[in-house]
């Protein structure tokens, strides 16, 4: 309820305050509806917790929904930069929607911090991508702990099943060269849709290849379907899931069938005791405390963490940028961009960020660790 | 012929037309300079949707063929141009013709599959096609899969790269304006009337010499081409493509746009595209306030909105708006200037044998509807085919007019066998017909309806019509139609919508339409059925005049009194067989006929 | 592919195919009686499953409020119609039925939910809640449009689908549900295992299919209902109200959809928007049957199910492409068979 109130208030303010224009305007594009809605909504929730003032300047948030649709995302990006003169744009949720916004951001010279995973969004840092930063771990971050565990436990033959969309595709594309490099054999590449009612065909094909491990490029509740089917069909080997499976309904839907599966976990998302050596422990705790205070116990998740961090980065960069130019100007946007690029060693909820003129992906590789589902809880694996 | 007397000069309409184009040009030139950038962007998207919707209006609203697959055509063109541009660096100006050709070929092969089938198969087929094309885009590696293709080159025009929304506005809206003009030109032409006639049913259109398959295919391809144009613009404006904007939901949305705007009106396409696009942007701001959270609630609003539109303004908002707008109501009455008459078929000499029905037989399963009928009609003769209900008259009529094929026997026209020919071929040989259940296009004027009849007497291509290269031919067609309307005595109602006439007048319009086909033999299917006494009298006068002109006519009727004074000869049918044949007086006193009609004489 | 896999795939294909067949029959029926191409058929599947899940979780399902809202709207329209036609005395009865039923059901749910965890009770309540939505929708949307073209009705059906998906999301949220199974038993026949839930699905579907078939092909009243499709005025003359026939066919469609949802709930996860594709697959089956023939439609739907599980095995990325392109050869075949000219719609 508080979110909607805050949002309504933000919207009302946005509608009312069109003339008063010295504030910092933060444009936000999330996929609050459509297939990626369950991810976009927590992102929006985290943004709603953002500060109302940075270095004495009022901050105005304008949150738009792109419905997981690229055309709308671009339209929103235009709306934010031309109608609201946004100083920075945060979002969007999915890879295609973020990808589609890059052109507008580069054209209008507006820095953008996306919450989408693909490395291609920020790399290579060229004329356009110099405006783009990201706070989401990439598919490569996810695969590193998984592959390390597979290697350590002597797996050889691997099968893959994942979403028939940009998510599953991105995961597989990142995984293929990494698997080949480390000497794994990829036996099957199967797809299924989020709303599919049966994956027996795909699962039978996977089982027929007799894999040592099955990787599942799927997220949230729909990731449960292949796990359950694999177990129902007698597969006893290890299952490795994407980070997205540690979010949402996966555990509730898969139930006991999911016991013992592996997935990369983010300290920002999992209720577990992390070692005090964790570099960003304090940042995680701060995020969790603020977020769960607003949205209830156990509501923490990595998507909200990424959006939270995007606001944190703004909070880091804005004071210095304010010394160089006034908000609402092209100079301020350029200064903001330049300042974000200099952030290095900053600990956020999702990990430690190291930006540089040649690296806008930010998060270092320790941002994710291996987790295992035990008794319905994700536990870090040492 | 004193056609000039028909002319009623109108003041309002041409004046408005003269202002319309410069005003539109001015708006296109000035708007992007006045509006904030985001509004300009919105207008660009409206323009892109308008292009697709215009095609859909032509296809669905006017042609009566429903397609959910237009978004897929947009996608094919967008992806083709994007792929060639990113993978091979092909210039957008080269990919444009390619995209159009590939889309046209796809549409053409699709039309081969679906257009023969009746009504609901096309929407369902396109629904399935829209879904499979979406998944195909998402799974083809070279098209970037679900992630899509980015870095598509922008357009260059006269060495100037289109970057700003305003420069796109000028390009997109110029194209929209040209398309509006082209489609309006097309609709007001010979091929356009043929397309509008499709809604009146295949049988009627074919009986006027319209090749319905050809025109259905043509509008299917035309609609796909407009969609392709939109897709090509989209790819280079957005500079990024992925499958979502081309999925089945986009296809449905285009259809929603025209339903809301007005499916039968070119302007309805623009109105609908604008309303839905603006509504979508506004709903984003309002719905979270209403529901207190975000969700896919647009669907609720759109769903309910469409239902309300269907319930309250079934033809969409454009016609409703027109009724509201006072100056719109002053319907322009255009002048029908004299023009060179259309070519005529050489007329047979009076008494020359025309139609020869020999042992014609039609069976439906086990039922024999027409049992070995024989009769003849000579040139200049008026023959009545009489019989009680269910005697097989209509079946006999359909055999002659080519709607049905005879099971056995022969029907010859001027010595040539016609019993296995389709109705269009039969018309070409000089047999015109009317329908018992009037088949006029109610919203078209009487003049336009009759001009459909003259369709096969002059060739005008779709391209020529769009480019307005057809004005001379059009003037001749309209003049011919006006001449036929005067011939049947309806000159005063020439510019009224056919649907506003009484049933009797509509029957007479049908006769005028049949006359416009330049027939040697006129087939009238129960012309007096359902008419009031005065209407019957008017009809009889028209027929009398035709007799005076030497027209050969076959009237199928069950009203004996009506035909008695009109015909030279009568053929009476009962139970599919010929019961009697002879002069009206003979028939009147034939006991067998009386028996059949009155159920026995006391 | 080994024999075991083939058996499993066939079993999976037949289970889904049976459900599609059930939907296909409802689609054919609705089309035959009302000429509506009932796109929201799949949404009723989802409504059924989501309502059941929410009852099993001990909540009052939001569908109750939808039922109340639709009932109120129908009551209002009918009451106004009564007043206009001077039958003021009927107003009370109309309102009592349209509003009383949902309110009584609401009270019943309130009372029963804490008392019993019985699966059967929940299933019955689900039917009682969801099935009346069908006739209400017909009364509100399709009855006033009854004289319109197939196209207008189709667009109205799609509009209803959009509204239902949105309402599902509003009421149930984006999370998927999986309901408790009717029985967890697994039978072993030779070397293969058959989950009893799958047997349930095939059995219930078969029974419903046969019942529908018998009713509409054999029973006089069923035949009369179908006759309204061909001749509305004629049907009125022999004493069948087309409105009643329409409502009844929508009730059957809602019943079939809900039963399919209840059956499907335990074997898969259903989301608020799962209905569209499920319904469309039923459609592909119905199109194979030319939207007219019950046995062909059922056969077509089984074919869709088998094709789906087969393509999931062989080329999972192209599964939807394959299933939906099945329509093309069917259309081609129908197109070659069709008489080139003559018949009008």
């Amino acid at each position: 309820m508080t979110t909607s109130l805050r949002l309504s208030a933000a919207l009302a303010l946005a509608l009312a305050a069109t003339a008063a224009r010295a504030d910092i305007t933060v444009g936000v594009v999330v996929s609050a509806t459509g297939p990626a809605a369950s991810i976009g909504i927590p992102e929006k929730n985290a943004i709603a917790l953002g500060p109302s003032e940075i270095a004495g300047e009022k901050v105005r948030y304008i949150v738009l929904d792109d419905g997981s649709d690229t055309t709308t995302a671009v339209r929103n990006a235009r709306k934010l930069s031309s109608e609201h003169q946004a100083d920075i744009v945060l979002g969007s949720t999915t890879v295609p929607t973020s990808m589609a916004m890059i052109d507008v951001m580069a054209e209008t010279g507006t820095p953008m911090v996306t919450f989408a995973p693909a490395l291609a969004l920020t790399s290579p840092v060229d004329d356009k991508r110099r405006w783009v930063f990201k706070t989401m771990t990439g598919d490569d971050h996810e695969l590193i702990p998984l592959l390390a565990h597979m290697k350590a436990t002597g797996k050889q033959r691997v099968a893959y099943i994942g979403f028939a969309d940009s998510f599953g595709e991105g995961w597989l594309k990142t995984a293929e060269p990494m698997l080949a490099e480390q000497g794994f054999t990829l036996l099957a590449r199967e797809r299924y849709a989020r709303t599919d009612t049966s994956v027996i065909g795909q699962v039978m094909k996977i089982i027929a290849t007799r894999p040592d491990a099955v990787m599942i490029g799927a997220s949230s509740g729909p990731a449960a379907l292949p796990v359950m089917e694999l177990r129902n069909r007698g597969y006893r080997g290890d299952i490795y899931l994407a980070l997205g499976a540690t979010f949402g309904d996966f555990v509730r839907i898969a139930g006991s069938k999911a016991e013992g599966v592996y997935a990369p976990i983010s300290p920002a998302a999992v209720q577990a005791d992390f070692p005090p050596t964790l570099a960003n422990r304090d940042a995680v705790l701060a995020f969790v405390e603020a977020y769960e205070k607003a949205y209830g116990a156990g509501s923490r998740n990595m998507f909200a963490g990424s959006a939270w961090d995007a606001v944190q980065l703004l909070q880091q960069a804005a004071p210095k940028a304010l010394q160089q130019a006034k908000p609402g100007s092209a100079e301020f946007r350029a200064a903001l961009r330049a300042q974000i690029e200099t952030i290095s060693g900053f600990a956020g909820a999702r990990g430690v960020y190291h930006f540089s003129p040649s690296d806008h992906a930010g998060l270092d590789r320790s941002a994710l660790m291996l987790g295992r589902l035990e008794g319905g809880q994700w536990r870090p694996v040492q | 012929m004193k056609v000039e007397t028909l002319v009623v000069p109108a003041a309002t309409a041409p004046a408005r037309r003269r202002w319309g184009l410069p005003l539109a040009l001015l708006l296109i030139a000035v708007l992007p300079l006045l509006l904030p950038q985001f509004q300009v962007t919105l207008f660009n998207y409206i323009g892109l949707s308008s292009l697709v919707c215009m095609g859909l209006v032509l296809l669905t609203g006017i042609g009566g063929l429903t397609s959910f697959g237009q978004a897929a055509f947009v996608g094919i063109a967008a992806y083709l141009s994007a792929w060639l541009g990113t993978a091979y660096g092909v210039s957008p100006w080269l990919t444009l013709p390619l995209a159009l050709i590939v889309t046209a070929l796809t549409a053409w092969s699709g039309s081969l599959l679906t257009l023969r089938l009746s009504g609901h198969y096309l929407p369902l087929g396109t629904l399935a096609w829209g879904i499979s094309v979406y998944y195909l885009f998402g799974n083809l590696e070279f098209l970037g899969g679900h992630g899509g293709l980015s870095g598509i080159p922008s357009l260059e025009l006269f060495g100037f790269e289109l970057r700003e929304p305003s420069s796109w506005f000028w390009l997109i809206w110029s194209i929209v304006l040209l398309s509006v003009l082209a489609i309006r030109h097309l609709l007001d032409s010979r091929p356009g009337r043929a397309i509008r006639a499709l809604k009146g049913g295949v049988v009627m259109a074919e009986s006027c010499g319209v090749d319905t398959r050809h025109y259905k295919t043509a509008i299917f391809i035309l609609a796909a081409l407009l969609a392709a144009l939109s897709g090509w613009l989209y790819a280079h404006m957005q500079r990024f493509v992925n499958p979502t904007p081309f999925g089945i939901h986009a296809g449905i949305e285009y259809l929603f746009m025209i339903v809301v705007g007005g499916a039968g009106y070119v302007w309805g396409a623009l109105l609908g595209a604008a309303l839905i696009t603006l509504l979508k942007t506004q709903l984003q701001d309002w719905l979270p306030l209403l529901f207190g959270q975000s969700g896919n609630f647009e669907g609720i609003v759109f769903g309910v909105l469409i239902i309300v539109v269907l319930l309250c303004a079934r033809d969409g908002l454009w016609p409703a708006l027109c009724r509201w707008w006072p100056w719109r109501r002053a319907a322009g009455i255009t002048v029908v200037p004299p023009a060179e008459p259309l070519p005529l078929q050489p007329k047979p000499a009076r008494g020359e044998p025309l139609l020869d029905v020999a042992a014609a037989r039609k069976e439906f399963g086990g039922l024999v509807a027409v049992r070995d009928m024989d009769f003849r009609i000579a040139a200049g003769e008026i023959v009545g085919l009489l019989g009680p209900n269910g005697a097989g008259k209509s079946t006999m009529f359909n055999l002659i007019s080519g709607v049905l094929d005879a099971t056995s026997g022969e029907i010859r026209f001027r010595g040539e066998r016609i019993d296995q020919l389709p109705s269009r071929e039969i018309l070409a040989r000089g047999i015109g017909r009317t329908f018992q259940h009037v088949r006029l296009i109610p919203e078209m004027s009487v003049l336009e309806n009759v001009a459909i009849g003259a369709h096969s007497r002059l060739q005008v291509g779709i391209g020529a019509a769009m480019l307005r290269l057809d004005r001379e031919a059009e003037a001749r067609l309209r003049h011919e139609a006006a001449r036929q309307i005067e011939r049947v005595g309806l000159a005063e109602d020439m510019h009224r919508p056919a649907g506003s006439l009484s049933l009797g007048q509509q029957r007479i319009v049908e006769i005028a339409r049949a006359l416009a086909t330049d027939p040697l033999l006129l087939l009238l299917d129960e012309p007096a059925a359902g008419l009031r006494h005065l209407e019957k009298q008017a009809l009889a006068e028209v027929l009398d005049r035709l007799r005076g002109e030497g027209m050969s006519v076959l009237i199928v009727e069950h009203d004996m009194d009506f035909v008695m004074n009109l015909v030279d000869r009568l053929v009476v049918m009962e139970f599919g067989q010929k019961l009697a044949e002879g002069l009206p007086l003979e028939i009147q006193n034939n006991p067998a006929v009386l028996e059949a009609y009155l159920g026995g004489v006391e | 592919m080994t024999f075991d896999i083939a058996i499993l795939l066939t079993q999976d294909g037949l289970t889904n195919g049976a459900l599609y067949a059930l939907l296909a029959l409802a689609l054919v029926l609705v089309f035959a009686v009302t000429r509506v191409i009932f796109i929201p058929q799949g949404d009723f599947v989802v409504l059924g499953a989501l309502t059941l899940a929410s009852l099993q979780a001990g909540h009052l399902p939001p569908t109750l409020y939808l039922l109340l809202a639709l009932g109120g709207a129908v009551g209002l329209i009918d009451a106004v119609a009564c007043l206009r036609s001077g039958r003021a005395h009927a107003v009370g009865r109309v309102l009592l039925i349209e509003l009383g039923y949902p309110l009584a059901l609401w009270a019943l749910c309130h009372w029963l939910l804490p008392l019993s965890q019985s699966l059967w009770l929940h299933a019955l309540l689900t039917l009682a809640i969801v099935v009346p939505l069908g006739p209400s929708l017909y009364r509100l949307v399709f009855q006033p449009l009854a004289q319109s073209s197939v196209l207008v009705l189709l667009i109205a059906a799609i509009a209803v689908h959009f509204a239902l998906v949105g309402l599902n999301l509003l009421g149930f949220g984006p999370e998927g549900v999986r309901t408790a199974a009717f029985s967890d038993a697994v039978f072993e026949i030779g070397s293969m295992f058959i989950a009893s839930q799958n047997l349930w699905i095939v059995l219930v579907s078969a029974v419903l299919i046969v019942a529908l078939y018998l009713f509409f092909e054999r029973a006089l009243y069923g035949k009369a209902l179908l006759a309204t499709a061909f001749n509305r005025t004629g049907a009125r003359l022999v004493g069948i109200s087309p409105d009643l026939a329409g409502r009844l066919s929508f009730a059957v469609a809602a019943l079939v959809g809900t039963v399919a949802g209840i059956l499907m709930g335990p074997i898969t996860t259903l989301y608020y928007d799962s209905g569209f594709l499920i319904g469309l697959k039923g459609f592909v089956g119905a199109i194979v049957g030319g939207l007219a023939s019950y046995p062909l439609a059922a056969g077509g739907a089984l074919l869709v199910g088998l094709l789906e599980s087969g393509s999931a095995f062989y080329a999972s990325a192209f599964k939807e492409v394959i299933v939906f392109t099945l329509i093309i050869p069917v259309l081609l075949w129908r197109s070659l068979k069709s008489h080139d000219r003559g018949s009008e719609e």
Side-chain angles (χ1 to χ4, degrees), chain A residues 268-287:
Chain A
V270 174
Q271 283 174 307
D273 292 327
F274 290 102
T277 51
L278 190 71
N280 61 334
R281 197 163 192 272
D282 295 341
V284 170
L285 291 177
F287 157 70

Side-chain angles (χ1 to χ4, degrees), chain B residues 92 208 234 262 309 349 426-427 468 485 511 578:
Chain B
C208 289
Y234 177 89
V309 167
I426 288 173
L427 169 88
R468 277 278 136 134
I485 294 168
I511 294 177
K578 186 158 85 176

Side-chain angles (χ1 to χ4, degrees), chain A residues 97-123:
Chain A
T97 48
S98 304
M99 195 73 99
M101 286 162 57
I102 295 179
D103 267 309
V104 181
M105 295 296 103
E107 184 197 314
T108 56
T110 315
M112 155 177 168
V113 185
T114 170
F115 320 135
L119 196 60
L121 285 166
T122 51
S123 145

Side-chain angles (χ1 to χ4, degrees), chain A residues 4 33 44 65 70-71 82 164 169, chain B residues 38 146 234 242 284 292 294-295:
Chain A
S4 61
T33 64
K44 203 179 64 174
D65 167 30
T70 44
T71 313
S82 70
E169 190 182 275
Chain B
F38 174 65
H146 288 281
Y234 177 89
N242 78 322
Q284 259 187 32
S294 286

Side-chain angles (χ1 to χ4, degrees), chain A residues 68-117:
Chain A
S68 317
D69 171 48
T70 44
T71 313
T72 318
V74 171
R75 206 156 61 201
N76 286 344
R78 282 250 175 250
K79 185 173 184 176
L80 289 172
S81 65
S82 70
E83 198 160 271
H84 301 288
Q85 279 92 43
D87 296 304
I88 186 169
V89 171
L90 309 183
S92 169
T93 306
T94 72
V95 176
T97 48
S98 304
M99 195 73 99
M101 286 162 57
I102 295 179
D103 267 309
V104 181
M105 295 296 103
E107 184 197 314
T108 56
T110 315
M112 155 177 168
V113 185
T114 170
F115 320 135

Side-chain angles (χ1 to χ4, degrees), chain A residues 1 3-5 7-9 11-12 15 32-34 41 44 63-72 74-76 78-83 95-97 99-100 103 107-108 128-129 163-167 169 173 191 193 195, chain B residues 36-39 41-42 45 134-135 137-141 144-152 163-165 168 234 237-245 277 280-282 284-286 288-289 291-298:
Chain A
M1 213 52 215
T3 358
S4 61
L5 275 177
L7 274 174
S8 327
L11 272 165
L15 290 173
T33 64
I41 291 170
K44 203 179 64 174
V63 184
L64 298 178
D65 167 30
D66 63 29
S68 317
D69 171 48
T70 44
T71 313
T72 318
V74 171
R75 206 156 61 201
N76 286 344
R78 282 250 175 250
K79 185 173 184 176
L80 289 172
S81 65
S82 70
E83 198 160 271
V95 176
T97 48
M99 195 73 99
D103 267 309
E107 184 197 314
T108 56
K128 286 178 184 162
R129 289 182 177 81
F163 281 158
D165 65 6
S166 62
F167 181 97
E169 190 182 275
K173 269 193 188 157
R191 317 288 163 89
T195 53
Chain B
Q37 225 190 15
F38 174 65
Q39 307 283 352
T41 311
L42 265 188
Y45 285 113
Y134 168 79
Y135 282 102
F137 285 147
N139 284 306
L140 291 179
E141 202 70 33
H146 288 281
L149 288 173
S150 62
I152 302 167
R163 281 199 151 271
E164 299 287 308
W168 278 101
Y234 177 89
M237 184 175 94
Q238 195 92 344
R239 306 183 61 187
F240 173 83
V241 292
N242 78 322
T244 35
T277 310
K280 265 178 83 174
T281 21
Q282 287 308 311
Q284 259 187 32
D285 298 343
W286 298 336
L289 297 178
F291 290 107
Q293 54 171 312
S294 286
N296 206 0
F297 304 130
E298 280 172 16

Side-chain angles (χ1 to χ4, degrees), chain C residues 257-284:
Chain C
T258 315
V259 168
I262 294 174
L263 288 174
M264 236 174 177
I267 61 158
T268 187
T269 321
L270 288 168
Y271 298 84
Y272 70 97
D273 59 348
S274 297
F276 188 58
L277 281 182
I278 297 176
L280 276 187
K281 283 172 190 159
F283 250 112
V284 176

